[in-house]
Amino acid sequence: MDLSDEELVELSQQGSRSAFATLVERHKTAVFSMACRIIGKREDAEEAAQDAFIRAYRALDQFRRDSKFSTWLYRIAMNVCLTKAKQTRFDATSIEASMEEDEESVPLQLPDRGESPDRLVERNEFRERVHALIASLSPKYSAVLMLYHIQDCSYEEISEILNLPIGTVKAHLFRAREALKRRALEALEPQELQ
Amino acid sequence: MECRQIHPLMHEALSGTLVDEQRAVLDRHLTHCRACQTDYTVLRAVVQAVADAPPLQPSPAFTIKVLDRLPAPVLVFGRVPVRVLWAIVGVLGSLTGTVAWVYRTAIIRGFQGVPEMTAGTKAMAAPFQFVVNTLRASLEGLRYRFPVLPEPQRLEPIVSVLIAVGVAFVILKMIDGFQTAEFESAPDESYS
């Protein structure tokens, strides 16, 4: 029988490790994916994801059922990942500086090459490049981008997870997309746009 | 409308939060601005690529590693939560300390050879008397070395409570030692 997250949390609170193991199995892919996309390095991401689950386990008593377990878990995971990213991403400062430049620059105007890049998204190399570039963004932007587009979280949920006002969440999302687009295009060979 | 003003509308469109009026403005601009048209297409492509990002799998031993790193056993004897046991031990420890303090005079007199005590009772009480005597001697020794300390009689209640808590702690550690790992190899499928 499939138990809900909340039922598993209740069993875990009563001390069942099997129930908690099921929660880990259920959410490990999402948490690890987020960690990987924010931190960039697989080994560090795995460690951060483990830390997130252990912190969640320690804090199970504090889980209030006014939000979904996944939202609560993602909040813990995000805190761990953002802290880890600050420690491990040696180029974080330059990324931040680059983001500031991105924000102040004018919208990108692509040269007219006669053909639309509609088929870009169909190209595997373009998609892979974009996926790799997510981790090169500022961690806070990677986080918002993933929560919105990959985890399908609403603005309200992201606001709760990252403890940010909804307006800031929207602004982060705007800047994250713009920065990602700019970097993706910078990485493309000119002929790829033709 | 300028291209710069159109950009936020592109993002609203991608988020699905564009109202009809704004949609009309965006569409109108895109029909005659080739640069924005291309920009919007690339932006959509990027967002689509992000949304298509495949889930990443952690190592196969991920769950085991997490469980190995979990703090102390949650259940004692497989069913009593540790925090419940701690509460019981704490209450019992405090009660023991209080009772020992309240009846300390009677207890000590009892061990000092009340005539009606039988030989068997005296024999059973002897170890306790030995402990009490040793404790008193130690307290006297401490006071001799550190004259600022209060008289032994005033220290006795504190020592009684400390002993009770210490005994409780040892008992708890012994129980922990017998705790078996509930989850040793792989998560069972009972909840999935």
Side-chain angles (χ1 to χ4, degrees):
Chain A
M1 183 179 68
D2 276 2
L3 294 182
S4 70
D5 280 356
E6 283 66 30
E7 288 168 321
L8 288 169
V9 167
E10 199 168 328
L11 288 168
S12 301
Q13 284 172 333
Q14 291 166 11
S16 168
R17 289 193 170 199
S18 297
F20 189 72
T22 308
L23 283 170
V24 174
E25 284 288 314
R26 199 174 278 181
H27 294 283
K28 67 180 181 184
T29 305
V31 171
F32 177 72
S33 295
M34 286 193 287
C36 253
R37 308 266 185 223
I38 292 176
I39 297 168
K41 293 179 188 169
R42 193 178 170 87
E43 297 75 23
D44 291 335
E46 176 131 349
E47 193 183 321
Q50 286 176 21
D51 287 348
F53 279 110
I54 288 161
R55 281 200 196 184
Y57 182 80
R58 287 179 191 275
L60 273 180
D61 285 345
Q62 295 162 28
F63 172 62
R64 303 282 172 258
R65 283 157 182 77
D66 49 5
S67 63
K68 286 193 293 184
F69 173 74
S70 57
T71 305
W72 181 77
L73 175 65
Y74 292 170
R75 189 194 308 164
I76 293 172
M78 281 297 161
N79 280 334
V80 174
C81 292
L82 292 175
T83 307
K84 187 84 175 174
K86 281 178 192 166
Q87 293 167 352
T88 57
R89 283 168 57 165
F90 63 91
D91 57 343
T93 312
S94 62
I95 287 170
E96 290 285 350
S98 166
M99 289 300 298
E100 296 306 319
E101 285 170 18
D102 285 345
E103 287 161 22
E104 288 170 10
S105 60
V106 294
L108 184 73
Q109 298 294 306
L110 288 174
D112 184 0
R113 296 177 189 276
E115 282 188 25
S116 161
D118 257 339
R119 283 174 296 172
L120 270 179
V121 74
E122 293 167 15
R123 297 185 189 173
N124 281 335
E125 67 265 40
F126 177 77
R127 280 204 296 255
E128 284 164 13
R129 193 165 291 154
V130 171
H131 299 162
L133 283 169
I134 295 174
S136 76
L137 296 175
S138 171
K140 62 186 177 186
Y141 294 137
S142 316
V144 173
L145 205 59
M146 277 186 319
L147 288 169
Y148 191 83
H149 288 298
I150 299 178
Q151 300 301 328
D152 289 328
C153 293
S154 65
Y155 288 136
E156 288 76 16
E157 284 171 326
I158 299 173
S159 163
E160 190 183 339
I161 290 168
L162 296 176
N163 197 23
L164 292 172
I166 288 179
T168 309
V169 171
K170 288 182 180 176
H172 280 4
L173 189 60
F174 176 94
R175 290 168 187 158
R177 286 169 177 161
E178 285 294 320
L180 196 59
K181 179 192 73 181
R182 194 177 309 278
R183 286 166 193 225
L185 287 170
E186 282 168 2
L188 284 174
E189 298 296 328
Q191 61 269 23
E192 288 184 74
L193 286 173
Q194 294 181 7
Chain B
M1 193 174 269
E2 287 184 20
C3 295
R4 185 180 284 272
Q5 295 169 296
I6 289 297
H7 252 246
L9 296 185
M10 292 182 189
H11 287 270
E12 293 286 346
L14 289 169
S15 298
T17 52
L18 207 59
V19 296
D20 289 346
E21 273 181 31
Q22 293 171 316
R23 165 65 68 184
V25 170
L26 177 64
D27 288 345
R28 214 166 30 241
H29 183 89
L30 292 179
T31 52
H32 66 78
C33 180
R34 179 89 188 192
C36 282
Q37 202 177 25
T38 308
D39 203 22
Y40 184 48
T41 305
V42 175
L43 194 60
R44 270 191 304 157
V46 167
V47 166
Q48 189 59 51
V50 172
D52 288 345
L56 303 172
Q57 295 296 335
S59 66
F62 183 86
T63 306
I64 302 295
K65 285 179 186 170
V66 170
L67 295 172
D68 281 348
R69 290 178 56 195
L70 288 185
V74 178
L75 289 185
V76 179
F77 298 131
R79 60 181 63 208
V80 183
V82 166
R83 60 175 181 271
V84 172
L85 195 71
W86 266 118
I88 293 170
V89 165
V91 169
L92 286 180
S94 304
L95 278 176
T96 309
T98 308
V99 168
W101 164 242
V102 170
Y103 293 102
R104 69 190 186 285
T105 311
I107 291 170
I108 290 165
R109 278 185 185 160
F111 294 131
Q112 282 174 347
V114 179
E116 57 266 29
M117 284 181 79
T118 64
T121 312
K122 281 183 183 175
M124 285 170 64
F128 188 79
Q129 189 169 14
F130 174 76
V131 171
V132 170
N133 288 341
T134 308
L135 177 66
R136 285 192 162 174
S138 305
L139 291 175
E140 286 289 355
L142 267 178
R143 191 155 184 267
Y144 178 75
R145 190 172 284 272
F146 305 105
V148 290
L149 287 173
E151 291 175 7
Q153 287 81 357
R154 292 192 178 183
L155 282 177
E156 276 177 17
I158 301 168
V159 174
S160 300
V161 171
L162 286 178
I163 288 172
V165 171
V167 168
F169 183 76
V170 170
I171 290 171
L172 196 73
K173 279 293 167 194
M174 289 169 68
I175 292 171
D176 271 359
F178 290 111
Q179 168 69 18
T180 54
E182 186 189 339
F183 188 91
E184 286 174 346
S185 53
D188 62 40
E189 300 301 322
S190 54
Y191 298 118
S192 55

